[in-house]
Amino acid sequence: MGRKKRSRVSGDGDGAEENGEESAASPAAAESKSLYEILGVERTASQQEIKKAYHKLALRLHPDKNPGDEEANEKFQQLQKVISILGDEEKRALYDDTGITDDDALVGEAADNLQAYFRTVFKKVTEADIEDFEAKYRGSDSEKKDLKELYTKFKGKMNRLFCSMICSDAKLDSHRFKDIIDQAIAEGELKSTKAYEKWAKKISEIEPPTNPLERRVKKKKSQESDLMLAISQRREQRKGQFDSLVSSIMSKCESKASKASSSEPTEEEFERARQRLEKQRSKGRK
C-alpha cells in the first residue's frame, strides 16, 4: 500500500488529514518532541481528549492498515509507549514534573520514591494551612511590603489594590492599610495620589474595627456555632409542637370516650324500652 497521504491530529484533538504531513513523529524526530506534541494535543488536554487523539492515530497507523510499511509500524509502537504514559494519570504527572519517558523509570521503587519526594515538596494544602498562613501574614513585614508595591502599581487606587492583595478584607483592613500608607507617604517612601486621597477621606469618616487583626476563622467558627444553635432550637421547637399535637389528639379521644360512656341507658330506661318492644310484638300477633 502506498504512503502518499499522511494524517495528523490538530492541537485541539480533532483529526485532520493533510498531504505531506505526518501525525505521529518519526522515531528520530520524536526525540525532540514532547509526548503531547506526538499526539497533537495540548498539555492541558483531558484524559478523554488524549484517548480520542490516540485512537484516531492508532487507526491510521495500525499495521493491518499499513502492511509492509516499517515506518508506520515503528510509529504505531511509539504510539503505544505514548499512551502508556499519558493514559496513566500517575505516570503522566511524573512525566509532567520530570520529563522522563522511560517506562522502567516510571514504575517500581524508584518511581515511588520520586513521587513521594514530590508529594513531600509539594504537599497538599489544607484549610488549616491557609488559616495558619493568613494568621502569620496579616500584620507582617511581608504584608507591608506587598501593600506598598501594589499601592505603587495601581497608583493609589485602593479598590484595585484590595482585589490583588492576598488575605485582605476591605472592612477589616482599610484603616490599618491607610495608617501604613500614610506613614510611608510621610517618610517619602510613597507618593500620594488623588485616587488615594479621595479614598482615605472616606475611610477617615468610618469608625475603625475594634480588632482588625482578629483571625477571620474565629468569625467563621462563631457563625457555624450560631447555625448549630439555631438548628438545635428549631428541633426543640418542632418537638414541642409535635408533643402539643399528640396531647390535643389524646384529649379529644378521651372526651369522646367520656361522652360515649355517659350516654349509656340506665336499667329503668332499658326496662321501659323492653316493655314497649313486647307490646309491639303482641299487637302484631293479634
Side-chain angles (χ1 to χ4, degrees):
M1 178 180 293
R3 290 182 289 130
K4 294 181 181 179
K5 197 172 187 180
R6 301 292 185 184
S7 306
R8 70 178 179 86
V9 176
S10 64
D12 60 0
D14 292 331
E17 296 185 349
E18 293 185 3
N19 291 331
E21 295 189 11
E22 301 185 28
S23 52
S26 64
E31 294 181 1
S32 61
K33 284 193 172 186
S34 74
L35 301 186
Y36 295 100
E37 289 175 320
I38 293 173
L39 277 186
V41 298
E42 300 292 336
R43 290 180 65 89
T44 56
S46 66
Q47 284 295 312
Q48 184 177 1
E49 290 171 333
I50 286 174
K51 291 177 181 178
K52 181 180 178 181
Y54 161 74
H55 285 138
K56 287 186 176 182
L57 284 175
L59 286 173
R60 295 168 187 165
L61 297 172
H62 197 280
D64 291 346
K65 289 194 174 184
N66 301 275
D69 189 339
E70 293 298 329
E71 186 178 351
N73 185 52
E74 289 180 16
K75 291 179 183 178
F76 184 77
Q77 296 298 326
Q78 181 192 41
L79 195 59
Q80 306 316 303
K81 181 177 180 179
V82 172
I83 194 62
S84 71
I85 296 173
L86 297 187
D88 184 296
E89 292 186 0
E90 290 189 3
K91 288 184 180 181
R92 179 184 178 183
L94 193 56
Y95 167 75
D96 289 342
D97 289 331
T98 65
I100 295 175
T101 58
D102 186 356
D103 286 337
D104 293 336
L106 291 170
V107 295
E109 184 178 356
D112 292 339
N113 292 339
L114 191 56
Q115 290 183 43
Y117 166 75
F118 277 104
R119 281 195 293 268
T120 302
V121 175
F122 306 105
K123 68 175 185 177
K124 182 180 179 181
V125 178
T126 64
E127 187 176 353
D129 293 330
I130 296 173
E131 292 173 356
D132 186 58
F133 171 80
E134 181 178 340
K136 293 177 180 178
Y137 178 77
R138 288 165 60 77
S140 68
D141 292 337
S142 295
E143 183 194 45
K144 291 180 182 178
K145 180 176 178 293
D146 294 341
L147 174 64
K148 293 173 184 177
E149 289 179 352
L150 289 174
Y151 174 87
T152 302
K153 178 180 179 180
F154 296 119
K155 299 178 181 180
K157 297 176 181 177
M158 298 303 289
N159 290 336
R160 295 186 63 186
L161 182 146
F162 273 106
C163 291
S164 300
M165 189 72 182
I166 61 172
C167 303
S168 66
D169 185 322
K171 292 182 179 179
L172 286 176
D173 301 322
S174 290
H175 289 83
R176 190 167 63 85
F177 285 1
K178 177 180 176 299
D179 292 341
I180 296 172
I181 294 171
D182 285 347
Q183 183 179 351
I185 292 174
E187 294 174 354
E189 186 179 357
L190 296 176
K191 293 182 180 180
S192 182
T193 66
K194 290 183 178 180
Y196 172 73
E197 290 173 0
K198 184 178 180 181
W199 175 85
K201 183 179 179 181
K202 288 183 179 180
I203 297 303
S204 299
E205 297 171 354
I206 302 173
E207 186 177 352
T210 55
N211 190 0
L213 287 177
E214 182 181 8
R215 292 184 67 178
R216 284 183 286 178
V217 64
K218 292 183 178 180
K219 181 180 178 181
K220 179 182 177 182
K221 289 181 178 179
S222 175
Q223 290 174 342
E224 290 176 350
S225 298
D226 292 343
L227 178 61
M228 293 301 295
L229 179 61
I231 292 173
S232 177
Q233 290 176 343
R234 182 60 178 166
R235 285 176 179 171
E236 290 297 326
Q237 182 181 1
R238 287 179 177 177
K239 184 177 181 298
Q241 292 174 345
F242 178 77
D243 292 343
S244 176
L245 178 62
V246 172
S247 298
S248 176
I249 293 172
M250 291 181 65
S251 176
K252 290 180 180 179
C253 291
E254 290 175 355
S255 176
K256 288 181 179 180
S258 176
K259 289 180 179 179
S261 60
S262 61
S263 62
E264 291 181 359
T266 62
E267 291 184 2
E268 293 178 353
E269 291 173 339
F270 181 79
E271 181 61 25
R272 285 197 295 270
R274 188 186 67 79
Q275 290 176 357
R276 287 198 297 270
L277 183 59
E278 286 293 333
K279 287 181 180 180
Q280 290 175 0
R281 287 179 178 176
S282 298
K283 290 179 180 179
R285 289 172 186 172
K286 294 178 181 179

